[in-house]
Amino acid sequence: MDNNILILSEGIHTSIQDLGRKGYRSYGVPIAGAMDKYSAILANKLLNNDEKLPVMEITLTGPKILFEDSTLLVITGADMSPKINDEPIKMNVLYEVKTSDVLSFGKLISGTRSYLGVKGGFLTEKKLNSYSFYEGITSQSKVVKGDRLRIENYEAGLELHSSKIKVKSSHFQAKKLEVTKGPEYNRLTKKHREYLFSKQFKIGGLNDRMGYQLKNKFPPIKDQEIITSTTIPGTIQLTPSGKLIIMMRDCPTTGGYPRILQLTDIAINQLAQKKENDMFKFDLESSFDFLGRLVNRFKD
Amino acid sequence: MNKYKLKYKPLGSIAVLVEWPKSIEPDILKNISIFRYKIELDMGEYVLENVPAYNSLTVFFDTTKTKYSSVVTDLKEIYESKDQKLITANKIWKIPVCYDEKFGLDLNLISKEKKLTKDKIIALHSEALYDVYFIGFLPGFLYLGGLPQKLEFPRKKRPRLKINEGDVAIAGSQAGVYPRSSPGGWNILGNSPIRFFDPDNFPPCFAVAGDKVKFIPIDLKTHAKIKKEVDSGKYSLDSEIHG
């Protein structure tokens, strides 16, 4: 028999995400996947799941979820005051829920995106080798009220190992985001470069899984379009009107504006935990060989 | 094949961006296609994907097995190596398009601005043979080159909030078809009832970079009939081999 959860209310934007849909970029298929991969992987690690298993990504406000069957769960990422049956629970700690327990969320304390992991993962539809919701590929692009989502069967009584994970506050409050030079970086003048690495940047109201637009008005540059070419999550494009747009996990596979900077994967995760009006600076990295950096982060 | 002077740039820490001269032309498309093929043969072990665009190729590599500088060295060596005889089996896809005014929302505008009759626009658009340069923007959006110069028309300053699935459009010197409804700034000439992207098929898109496309004018009745066949999975798209 299937084990399920029932969505009683949906939150601003709730979706199922794994580590993304790789191998289909030549067909125009975006990578998608968890906006903050660090927190998504952490949820699976705490549950002793494979890190590639799908988790639920919750944005700014949380859903209300009825568990129709028991499972083990954990919440990582943004702290939205999670509760089980109205009793507050801790972040990054495993809890066992039983039939008819209700998970809900309250005030947003820190960050922007929470991740709900369950033992064995969510068993929603797998399309083109990924569970990540994306319009036109999966049959739905977000979780809505009334949805019944299948989860892996769980045998009660598994030992709850107590975790000592403490996520660094810098993950949520990073003042500097690491970038490398983008392919069109050389089109920038000295003045532009000074602006980029001295100013504070502020996140605008248009920010979602597709991209984050920044509020700053960048000094205009000549030669403002490129022949359409590849963009990847973290690519920072400069539009003709002087806006910077940071591509995020659902971004199109190509774009037509100069790609002046590129966020590192760690910086994408940190940006995914920021919201409108949050400020940061860019920090230029000189090396492109970041072999194993994401992995190392889990060791420190 | 090493006829162009290529530029190699990093795209983050996961990919090498290879750039050809800044131009959209069939010769570059061919050169990119051959390079892609050679990369797949020689570097398949640690190249995860190589993704073409008009004048670039982005090579995504396995960061656990190699690093940027080594990939660039290998790519340069492969590009300079002698060509093997390539057997290309590219296709010409025959895409039915209904140019009825019900669908061709910008035919009147273009007719007025370019001083061409609607029939002339339709004839020019459907007589051309287009090259599929790459698929990008949305899943299954074919970027087509080969639009007759007489039809070149700028992108709209204010994009439409909703363009329908299958809408056949032009912008600048490019032609394309919207694989699903989305906002967009291209000018709409008609609509095709066929499906350009299906996540349940492998591959999810019938065309690949290097293929060609021809638009076949159909009337409203045929459009409705094909649409029905597509929905029930009975339609099979017509194509022939070229090259």
Side-chain angles (χ1 to χ4, degrees):
Chain A
M1 214 183 73
D2 292 348
N3 282 10
N4 292 302
I5 62 167
L6 178 67
I7 306 299
L8 301 178
S9 71
E10 59 199 52
I12 285 182
H13 188 97
T14 304
S15 64
I16 299 296
Q17 300 291 340
D18 55 18
L19 298 185
R21 194 165 270 119
K22 285 162 195 145
Y24 299 94
R25 282 184 243 234
S26 318
Y27 300 105
V29 176
I31 296 297
M35 287 281 275
D36 173 7
K37 276 191 203 166
Y38 172 80
S39 298
I41 292 174
L42 179 63
N44 278 324
K45 288 202 180 242
L46 291 171
L47 286 159
N48 218 3
N49 284 346
D50 185 309
E51 65 175 37
K52 292 189 192 77
L53 285 183
V55 294
M56 182 180 281
E57 180 176 280
I58 296 161
T59 315
L60 292 169
T61 64
K64 202 169 180 180
I65 299 170
L66 171 75
F67 287 83
E68 299 186 329
D69 300 279
S70 57
T71 187
L72 214 50
L73 66 75
V74 66
I75 317 262
T76 61
D79 183 351
M80 297 180 195
S81 316
K83 298 176 201 78
I84 294 174
N85 301 332
D86 287 328
E87 285 290 318
I89 60 168
K90 288 185 182 139
M91 299 294 300
N92 311 318
V93 171
L94 300 185
Y95 289 90
E96 192 174 55
V97 283
K98 300 198 161 50
T99 303
S100 68
D101 280 350
V102 172
L103 174 71
S104 62
F105 296 83
K107 195 169 178 272
L108 177 67
I109 308 287
S110 65
T112 296
R113 291 178 169 87
S114 296
Y115 292 87
L116 162 64
V118 295
K119 185 70 190 169
F122 291 86
L123 301 175
T124 52
E125 56 176 347
K126 194 175 186 180
K127 288 286 175 81
L128 301 178
N129 217 18
S130 167
Y131 293 90
S132 293
F133 279 19
Y134 183 84
E135 190 188 345
I137 291 178
T138 51
S139 56
Q140 58 188 122
S141 57
K142 56 181 194 170
V143 168
V144 294
K145 185 180 166 180
D147 282 349
R148 184 167 268 121
L149 306 181
R150 238 185 98 201
I151 56 172
E152 184 58 87
N153 292 355
Y154 166 73
E155 234 172 277
L158 279 184
E159 198 182 325
L160 293 179
H161 57 94
S162 65
S163 79
K164 297 230 171 23
I165 286 280
K166 177 118 179 61
V167 178
K168 283 189 194 163
S169 63
S170 65
H171 183 69
F172 299 101
Q173 277 127 35
K175 300 268 184 283
K176 287 189 165 185
L177 296 182
E178 277 180 355
V179 288
T180 54
K181 292 175 184 175
E184 280 75 48
Y185 180 80
N186 55 9
R187 292 196 188 178
L188 301 172
T189 62
K190 200 171 160 232
K191 201 178 104 190
H192 291 117
R193 293 173 196 193
E194 277 170 13
Y195 184 95
L196 269 182
F197 301 114
S198 64
K199 288 272 191 273
Q200 289 272 357
F201 286 86
K202 197 181 213 180
I203 296 169
L206 292 175
N207 65 79
D208 57 19
R209 291 190 41 88
M210 194 93 84
Y212 274 44
Q213 199 175 90
L214 303 182
K215 279 190 173 163
N216 303 53
K217 185 113 174 115
F218 201 75
I221 59 167
K222 283 184 212 156
D223 210 1
Q224 284 167 335
E225 282 191 29
I226 60 165
I227 295 177
T228 302
S229 182
T230 304
T231 51
I232 60 174
T235 300
I236 306 184
Q237 292 187 298
L238 177 56
T239 72
S241 61
K243 288 275 184 208
L244 291 176
I245 299 174
I246 307 179
M247 311 306 274
M248 291 302 269
R249 305 287 184 195
D250 276 357
C251 74
T253 54
T254 57
Y257 300 128
R259 300 156 289 186
I260 58 170
L261 293 174
Q262 176 69 43
L263 288 184
T264 64
D265 214 50
I266 291 169
I268 299 173
N269 295 336
Q270 291 168 336
L271 182 61
Q273 291 299 352
K274 297 191 184 301
K275 52 187 162 300
E276 189 178 2
N277 294 326
D278 282 354
M279 316 262 278
F280 62 86
K281 281 185 164 185
F282 289 119
D283 192 13
L284 188 64
E285 281 278 327
S286 52
S287 165
F288 290 97
D289 288 333
F290 296 113
L291 202 58
R293 280 282 290 280
L294 186 65
V295 182
N296 289 341
R297 218 183 134 87
F298 280 101
K299 288 181 187 149
D300 60 42
Chain B
M1 129 171 154
N2 51 342
K3 55 200 268 190
Y4 294 101
K5 187 147 175 46
L6 305 188
K7 283 185 191 158
Y8 296 85
K9 297 174 181 174
L11 190 59
S13 54
I14 56 168
V16 180
L17 175 71
V18 189
E19 289 183 333
W20 275 255
K22 291 187 183 82
S23 165
I24 299 176
E25 50 189 280
D27 222 35
I28 291 180
L29 168 65
K30 204 170 159 198
N31 198 245
I32 293 177
S33 299
I34 295 171
F35 197 15
R36 276 188 85 190
Y37 181 75
K38 283 176 133 185
I39 292 169
E40 264 157 41
L41 285 183
D42 294 355
M43 294 169 70
E45 206 185 313
Y46 58 86
V47 165
L48 304 174
E49 290 179 68
N50 61 62
V51 185
Y54 283 119
N55 65 333
S56 65
L57 184 61
T58 307
V59 181
F60 292 87
F61 56 88
D62 185 340
T63 54
T64 63
K65 289 186 183 153
T66 185
K67 58 181 185 180
Y68 175 77
S69 44
S70 323
V71 178
V72 172
T73 308
D74 289 354
L75 287 173
K76 284 181 176 166
E77 197 177 301
I78 292 173
Y79 191 70
E80 297 303 324
S81 70
K82 273 212 179 104
D83 282 2
Q84 301 105 310
K85 185 105 181 115
L86 273 187
I87 304 152
T88 52
N90 283 330
K91 286 180 169 166
I92 302 175
W93 297 99
K94 295 177 179 173
I95 311 287
V97 179
C98 179
Y99 296 92
D100 188 271
E101 58 188 21
K102 181 182 166 196
F103 298 120
L105 302 180
D106 293 312
L107 284 172
N108 278 329
L109 174 77
I110 297 168
S111 167
K112 223 162 78 187
E113 298 274 327
K114 306 285 282 188
K115 298 196 168 53
L116 292 167
T117 65
K118 281 200 255 181
D119 283 347
K120 185 68 186 165
I121 296 172
I122 295 165
L124 283 168
H125 185 257
S126 58
E127 277 160 16
L129 187 59
Y130 299 87
D131 286 305
V132 178
Y133 276 83
F134 64 102
I135 304 170
F137 172 51
L138 289 171
F141 190 103
L142 312 181
Y143 277 83
L144 305 174
L147 184 72
Q149 220 167 6
K150 278 185 189 165
L151 278 185
E152 288 185 12
F153 200 74
R155 201 181 299 245
K156 289 192 176 302
K157 286 219 173 73
R158 270 169 176 272
R160 283 192 171 91
L161 289 176
K162 190 176 179 240
I163 289 183
N164 292 315
E165 176 182 346
D167 275 357
V168 175
I170 58 172
S173 59
Q174 308 179 97
V177 185
Y178 282 82
R180 69 157 203 248
S181 76
S182 94
W186 290 29
N187 304 283
I188 312 297
L189 305 187
N191 183 277
S192 174
I194 68 162
R195 197 164 285 161
F196 284 81
F197 186 84
D198 185 347
D200 293 323
N201 274 350
F202 187 82
C205 197
F206 55 82
V208 294
D211 282 354
K212 288 177 190 288
V213 158
K214 184 117 175 39
F215 293 117
I216 312 293
I218 54 171
D219 58 20
L220 269 174
K221 224 171 123 186
T222 314
H223 183 278
K225 181 173 160 270
I226 295 177
K227 183 104 191 150
K228 226 182 229 172
E229 290 173 6
V230 168
D231 287 343
S232 59
K234 282 179 196 142
Y235 185 76
S236 101
L237 188 61
D238 196 11
S239 70
E240 58 185 62
I241 305 282
H242 85 87

